[in-house]
Amino acid sequence: MIPFISPGATLGVMGGGQLGRMFVHAAQQMGYFVAVLDADPASPAGLVAQYHIQTDYLDEQGLAQLMQRTAAITTEFENVPARALVTLGAHRPVSPGGAAVAVCQDRLAEKAHFVRCGVPCAPHAAVERADQFAAVDEALFPGVLKTSRLGYDGKGQVRIATSAELEAAWTSLGQVPCVLEKMLPLAFEVSVIVARAASGRMVHFPVQHNLHRAGVLAVTQVPAPGVDEALAQQACAAAERIAESMGYVGVLCVEFFVLDDGSLVANEMAPRPHNSGHYSIDACDLSQFDLQVRAMTGAPLVEPRLHSPCVMLNLIGDLWFRDGDRERAPDWASVLELPGVHLHLYGKASARPGRKMGHLTVTAPTAAQAREVALQVAQRLGIEAF
Ligand code: ADP
Ligand code: MG
């Protein structure tokens, strides 16, 4: 159990990206102070937190400072070395804990956990050494070869048509430990975000419908089109089982594939708030970041309620280069005049193609209206229609 840590205390977060920034905003709104640990002096969360410890994740002095300053610690970045969390966890409540984060950092461990929970995942095989190529089942082709660790936003993975391409693909990924997954016929993708307290109480957000482009989340719609009550219940129950059986504390996102035959397959999970849950800031009465604060401080967890149908559009750096090589901010005024538009920019100094610069959530009285306005926003900003 985590004894309730009252507002006025200082909370710590490992990582200073946009997820950390939105966590800082939620924590500060409730009257907490926040210390961010991130080496980047211009990190989005470091810019808005009361304290910014500018060291690497494994720097002993940095970790010691974070512990001295804070009453409880969380993470916003899933690749924080799990052992840094274990070190911190010996002295402060750390949620999620290092052991749970370690499972999420390794695609093989993650899949093994899904299987243990009775949740289907893609047929797969470990590809860790060249002498394993011959034994790989032909039924896994065409497939996707993914690095076991450190992949994100479609990076660290290659699609391969036949076993003849396996060696070249593995070499292109740096010959690191990988997982080969069978390419599945996706109808669409969804995710579920759960929050679990140290007491075991769990709450979840509604199922989110996610459209990825080039491996990066582009559009999230809630309520999720094409998801009936039975499928929603199946996804939420699976996400809760996955959290429960790890003894997870904090916010966890599970990404799923819905296949052409309607079946549900777990893809991967993230031990933190997730890009597909950003809509919750504007469309729910409690956001995923509010629940992250509550879970780590031992505050009661209350079921979040979607009060407005919504569409979230990711604002990727490419939108800053519509004129060619010269960086120019999109015409925000042209979209802020539309009803129900909530603009979130992460304070990143410069744009780069593929970089997540911000997001925008459109809320409306009906899903059809949210979609209609979001399509107008997309057209004005140069985002492909969905
Ligand atoms: P990342 O860590 O980069 O998000 P994912 O494993 O989620 O990696 O893969 C990114 C995207 O690639 C998925 O959201 C999905 O669109 C596609 N994808 C990944 N694995 C498969 C698969 N086995 N079959 C079909 N599509 C896949
Ligand atoms: Mg993913």
Side-chain angles (χ1 to χ4, degrees), residues 35-123:
V36 167
L37 189 147
D38 190 303
D40 177 2
S43 74
L47 291 176
V48 296
Q50 278 89 355
Y51 310 104
H52 182 184
I53 300 163
Q54 295 176 20
T55 68
D56 291 338
Y57 297 124
L58 285 168
D59 185 283
E60 278 177 31
Q61 280 186 3
L63 294 176
Q65 263 190 52
L66 187 68
M67 283 190 269
Q68 278 154 19
R69 283 208 189 277
T70 60
I73 297 167
T74 188
T75 181
E76 66 102 43
F77 176 57
E78 76 191 84
N79 289 317
V80 165
R83 71 195 143 104
L85 299 178
V86 172
T87 302
L88 294 168
H91 305 277
R92 290 285 180 274
V94 173
S95 53
V101 172
V103 174
C104 303
Q105 285 175 344
D106 183 317
R107 289 190 194 276
L108 268 179
E110 190 170 68
K111 286 181 164 52
H113 184 70
F114 293 152
V115 171
R116 260 197 308 276
C117 295
V119 177
C121 61

Side-chain angles (χ1 to χ4, degrees), residues 64-331:
Q65 263 190 52
L66 187 68
M67 283 190 269
Q68 278 154 19
R69 283 208 189 277
T70 60
I73 297 167
T74 188
T75 181
E76 66 102 43
F77 176 57
E78 76 191 84
N79 289 317
V80 165
R83 71 195 143 104
L85 299 178
V86 172
T87 302
L88 294 168
H91 305 277
R92 290 285 180 274
V94 173
S95 53
V101 172
V103 174
C104 303
Q105 285 175 344
D106 183 317
R107 289 190 194 276
L108 268 179
E110 190 170 68
K111 286 181 164 52
H113 184 70
F114 293 152
V115 171
R116 260 197 308 276
C117 295
V119 177
C121 61
H124 62 279
V127 175
E128 295 173 318
R129 300 182 314 270
D131 63 13
Q132 291 172 317
F133 293 165
V136 169
D137 188 348
E138 283 296 330
L140 294 179
F141 297 99
V144 200
L145 188 67
K146 303 179 180 180
T147 60
S148 289
R149 306 178 73 87
L150 301 173
Y152 70 99
D153 286 348
K155 295 185 179 68
Q157 53 179 271
V158 225
R159 299 188 171 202
I160 36 186
T162 68
S163 55
E165 295 169 24
L166 188 53
E167 182 163 4
W170 190 57
T171 298
S172 77
L173 293 174
Q175 302 194 345
V176 294
C178 286
V179 182
L180 174 68
E181 271 178 47
K182 186 177 170 64
M183 182 68 79
L184 298 175
L186 310 191
F188 55 92
E189 297 182 63
V190 299
S191 58
V192 174
I193 294 167
V194 303
R196 186 169 181 276
S199 67
R201 176 168 167 77
M202 269 190 289
V203 298
H204 63 81
F205 288 91
V207 175
Q208 297 117 204
H209 179 291
N210 302 323
L211 171 68
H212 293 84
R213 288 185 176 137
V216 186
L217 181 66
V219 182
T220 293
Q221 299 179 72
V222 193
V227 175
D228 62 18
E229 192 53 38
L231 185 63
Q233 270 184 17
Q234 199 190 338
C236 294
E240 291 200 339
R241 252 188 344 265
I242 287 164
E244 168 104 62
S245 58
M246 281 194 286
Y248 193 87
V249 180
V251 171
L252 176 82
C253 178
V254 184
E255 293 183 53
F256 298 93
F257 300 141
V258 179
L259 306 189
D260 284 343
D261 66 3
S263 60
L264 188 75
V265 169
N267 171 27
E268 58 168 356
M269 57 182 170
R272 50 168 174 77
H274 192 259
N275 195 167
S276 64
H278 290 355
Y279 75 92
S280 61
I281 298 173
D282 300 302
C284 296
D285 57 0
L286 287 170
S287 76
Q288 59 173 349
F289 303 101
D290 293 329
L291 293 182
Q292 185 181 20
V293 173
R294 287 186 182 223
M296 77 184 288
T297 57
L301 289 188
V302 173
E303 201 73 56
R305 183 177 64 86
L306 181 78
H307 55 67
S308 301
C310 66
V311 177
M312 191 271 326
L313 301 175
N314 255 352
L315 302 171
I316 310 286
D318 306 62
L319 301 180
W320 274 247
F321 296 97
R322 289 177 72 197
D323 298 341
D325 288 346
R326 237 176 61 102
E327 176 176 337
R328 202 173 62 132
D331 180 3

Side-chain angles (χ1 to χ4, degrees), residues 324-339:
D325 288 346
R326 237 176 61 102
E327 176 176 337
R328 202 173 62 132
D331 180 3
W332 301 126
S334 77
V335 294
L336 290 172
E337 70 182 16
L338 296 168

